[in-house]
């Protein structure tokens, strides 16, 4: 597998904006929620969140809160 294909596989651009918004909504409702908790709430697989969370951190929209996450005001 070439490097570009692998990079594309990990791309967060494949995650719909609606999913990103749903993740933010869950974190707003339950500050400190963990990735397994978000996955359970949304009914999705955790691997999707491992693409979304770094994007939200980079965009400075969330930060760690103990073992979970919270939205940056």
């Amino acid at each position: 597998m070439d490097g570009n294909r692998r990079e594309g596989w990990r791309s967060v651009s494949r995650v719909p904006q609606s999913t990103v918004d749903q993740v933010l909504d869950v974190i707003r409702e339950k500050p400190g929620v963990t990735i397994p908790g978000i996955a359970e709430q949304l009914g999705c697989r955790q691997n999707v969140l491992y693409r979304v969370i770094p994007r939200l951190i980079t965009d400075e929209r969330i930060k760690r809160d103990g073992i979970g996450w919270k939205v940056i005001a």
Side-chain angles (χ1 to χ4, degrees):
M1 188 181 296
D2 75 29
N4 291 336
R5 183 177 171 112
R6 184 168 183 82
E7 209 171 288
W9 174 79
R10 298 189 58 126
S11 172
V12 294
S13 64
R14 292 185 181 197
V15 177
Q17 183 61 41
S18 61
T19 302
V20 174
D21 293 339
Q22 290 174 340
V23 169
L24 282 170
D25 288 344
V26 170
I27 296 171
R28 273 189 201 98
E29 291 171 9
K30 297 181 178 186
V33 67
T34 61
I35 288 177
I38 297 167
E40 182 178 330
Q41 184 77 23
L42 296 179
C44 70
R45 294 170 50 151
Q46 291 180 31
N47 65 333
V48 171
L49 300 174
Y50 288 110
R51 293 181 184 172
V52 174
I53 296 295
R55 174 177 169 181
L56 293 173
I57 294 167
T58 300
D59 292 348
E60 297 181 355
R61 299 185 70 187
I62 64 170
K63 68 178 183 177
R64 275 272 194 209
D65 182 28
I67 61 167
W69 301 96
K70 78 177 203 178
V71 173
I72 298 172

